[in-house]
Each structure stands twice: as C-alpha cells, then as structure tokens.
Amino acid sequence: MQRNLSLAVEEGGSDDSKYDEDGHIKRTGNVFTASAHIITSIIGSGVLSLAWAIAQLGSVAGPVAMVAFAVITLYTSLLLADCYRSPDGKRNYTYMDAVRTHLGGMKFKLCGLAQYATLIGLSIGYAITTALSLQAIARTNCYHFHGRGTANCIPSKRNFILMFGAVQVLLSQIPNFHQLSFLSIVAAIMSFGYSSIGLGLSAAQIASGVEVKLSATGVPVGANHSIKDKMFSTFSALGNIALAFAFSFVLIEIQDTLRSSPRERRAMKQATSVGILVASVFYLLCGILGYLAFGNHAPGNLLTDDHGFYEPFWVVDLANVCIIVHLVGAYQVFSQPFFALVESWSRTKWMGSQFITQEHTVHIPFAGDWRFSPFRLAWRTAYVVFTTVVALIFPFFNAILGLLGSIAFWPLTIYFPIEMYISQAKIPRLSFTWIWLQILSLSCFVVSVIAAVGSVRDLIDSVMHFKPFE
C-alpha cells in the first residue's frame, strides 16, 4: 500500500492543475530539456583541453581514462537520480535537500560547503574563460592581418570580463531553473558547434600530413620536462578528465524541472544517459584528434591558446563565439541553485519584509509577462558584480577553480550519491554491493587527491606571475 502511495505521488497530480502535488508551479520539463541542461553542464570549453590531457597521459592511458570516468560518472549519476524522492514520496528540490533527507547532520553541511563553493568558483572561472575566447578572437584577427607573433596582438582581458559581467546582470534576472530551458538548448547547440569546429580543424591538420611526435606514454621526460614535471602534469591531466564529466552537483536541480508524468526518475535516467553518452563521444573525438594533430605539443586549449589553431581565422572566430554563447548560458545553469538557496533562506528569515517577498508582474512586448522582484534584482546583481571583480583581481582563478573542482569531485560526484543510494536502498553493510561501492568511492578519492596536488602546483606557478587587473 505504501509503495502504491509513493508511486501515486511521483506520478503527480491532474494535468488540468497549474500546480504539482506539493503546491509548487507545475513542472514542464522533459527528457529533451533535461538532456540540454546536462550537456550544457558537462560540455564546456574544457573539451578543447583534452588533447593536452592525452598528451600528458599517452595515446593509450588517455582515452582509457576518459572512458573510465564516463562510466563512473554515469553510474553514480543513475544512483543519484534514485534519491530525488524521499522514502515517503516527497520531492527534494536541491542536491542539499537530498543529502539532508538521506544522510542528514554534518554530511549535509559539508555537502553545502562543497557544492556552493564549487558553483561560485565556476561562475568566476566562466567569466575568465569567456574573456579568453574574446581575447582569442581579437588575437586571431590581428595575426591574420598583421602576421603571427605581432607584439600588440594580445589585448587585455579586463574589458572582456566587464562585458561578460554586464550580460550576466541581465540574464541573472531569469527567476528560476525552470525558465532556463531555452538558454540551455542554445548553449548545448553552441557546445556542439565549437566542439565540431575543433574536430574539423584537427582532422584537416591531420590530413595535411604535418609530422608530429606521438607516444604511448605521453610527453617524454627530457631536458625541458623533468620527472617531477611529468608527475604533476599527469596528475593535472587526470584531474582535467575527471572534472570534465562533473555535473552531479546540479543533477537534482535539473531533475526537479521534469514534469511528474512520466516519473522523474525514469526520465532523468534517460536524460543522464543521453547527456553523458553525447559528452563522451565528443570528448574522445576532440581529445584523440587534437592529440593526433599536435602530438606531444598539444596546447592547453585548441582554440584560445596562442599555440593552437589560428587559421582559417573566421572559422576560429566562429568557434570562439560559440564558446562565449555557451559559457553565458552555463553561468546561469550553475548560478541558479545558489540564487535559489539564498532567496529561499531570505524569505524564511525575513518573511515579513516586502522587499524580500514582494514580486511585480511586468509585461514585456513580444516576450509576455515577467515576474520582477526588487530583492532578486539587488542580490543577484551584487553576486554578478562580486564574481566579476574577483575575476578581474585574480585572472589566474582557473587554477583555484581547478583546486576547488578537484576537492569537490569526490564528495559531490562520488561519495554523496553512493552514500545516499546505500541509505535509500537499505544496502546491508559488508554485502557485496556495499563493498563494491566503497571500493569505487575510495579509488575516486585517491584520484581527487592527486588532481588537487596537481592543481596546487598550477596555482603556485600562477601566483609567481601574478599581476592584478591584467
């Protein structure tokens, strides 16, 4: 009887109602929109650095590592999708809600610290990465007209970071995750765009017959690459690949956009499988073809690095435009959970404040009605200003982001999904399934520590060349 009740709750209320069974506005998401959210979350401009990762690991270990992390991420994401509903059938609206329901206590607090520190870090990192693409467009055009290596062809990132912040002030007024579907679909299309251009340029360079040095073990140890350099670059490469698949910290939020019928769990598992499969294919193709095109000298980013592609310049420009549009959307996908947390907490804390709770409906021609909130305008603008200022002060923040990401990979992608599933499915301690899950968790913890070590070294190198506001 209890199981039937739970399933009835999960199926949702009547289609004629404007609200779900818990009084919230009825969700309208489906497998397609959820897949777009996932692809937007997973496939970032980091796909263009995977050729470098393979160059460090070698032509054998590199692709094997990609497949391994894809399978692990898919497996733990499917476990996490089972934890969206509480045992009594109630929805968990956020990742933290799910952790609090299934694990509670100190683990809930640690989850919040890891999740929201990562989300803030990603916001700052996206500002910097977008600026790099804008900078690459200016540099590529300058090289085309004035010759490669011209000294004045590398403009400052400062103005580009400010431009990105101005756009995000406007987009941050999108009320919630449920209204991001169009932006995510556009961003997902853009990710296919620049990944495909990277693939095409790599294939063209391979076909041109340019000789490159390849190795089954990666960049060899030599005069300019010591054993210590090899070790740390291997650590960083493993971290780049592991973190390239990380999106679990917004999985519950994405699942909460799905309409109740068919059941969210089934639809989410389908969307997760589609998203990770698509990402994996693009990752393998970009990584392998990029490595074959540049060999052991593969650049850190095929399209924005000074040693990457720069001709035909208009194709490279188009790819960077796609990166920019994608990151504009991805910033919102990763910021919305933090926006929702602060606004929910504020409404609970100051429920009598009209500034906090009041919303106005504004009619926008050709766009319909828009819900305007003074608090949302003030707080979200302040958040965008904060991330923009930090990006201006610390333009090497990608190194810090790598550290945050490597620290968060194990708890958010591996540990919490596994522990919640064990609790939700009531898996006996020391059973075969329990032991297998613990071995998986421990192995990924070791990788996360290794990636953190590599990120710390990158951070130290960045600090050594630190010049504020450049």
Side-chain angles (χ1 to χ4, degrees), residues 369-427:
D369 293 335
W370 191 262
R371 290 187 295 123
F372 169 75
S373 165
F375 173 65
R376 185 162 58 234
L377 175 63
W379 132 247
R380 295 190 182 188
T381 299
Y383 175 82
V384 174
V385 169
F386 167 75
T387 57
T388 303
V389 170
V390 174
L392 286 169
I393 298 175
F394 303 111
F396 58 80
F397 197 84
N398 279 348
I400 299 177
L401 178 61
L403 178 60
L404 284 172
S406 59
I407 293 173
F409 167 72
W410 174 70
L412 296 177
T413 303
I414 308 297
Y415 176 75
F416 286 123
I418 285 177
E419 291 300 312
M420 283 193 284
Y421 180 76
I422 289 174
S423 173
Q424 187 260 359
K426 295 181 171 56
I427 296 175

Side-chain angles (χ1 to χ4, degrees), residues 29 44 56 60 78 144 155-157 168 172 178 197 210 239 255 270 278 300 317 401 427 442 447 466-467:
Q56 310 313 308
V60 177
L78 295 179
H144 177 75
S156 170
K157 293 190 291 287
Q168 292 303 337
S172 66
H178 302 268
I197 290 174
V210 176
Q255 191 165 352
Q270 292 173 352
V278 169
D317 286 352
L401 178 61
I427 296 175
L442 179 61
V447 172
F466 174 56
K467 293 181 180 180

Side-chain angles (χ1 to χ4, degrees), residues 7 26 70 81 103 112 137 161 236 250 264 298 303-304 342 365 381 401 437 457 465:
L7 289 178
K26 183 177 282 295
L103 302 178
I137 291 173
I161 291 174
S236 295
V250 292
E264 311 99 342
L303 296 174
T304 65
V342 172
T381 299
L401 178 61
L437 291 173
R457 196 206 186 208
H465 303 90

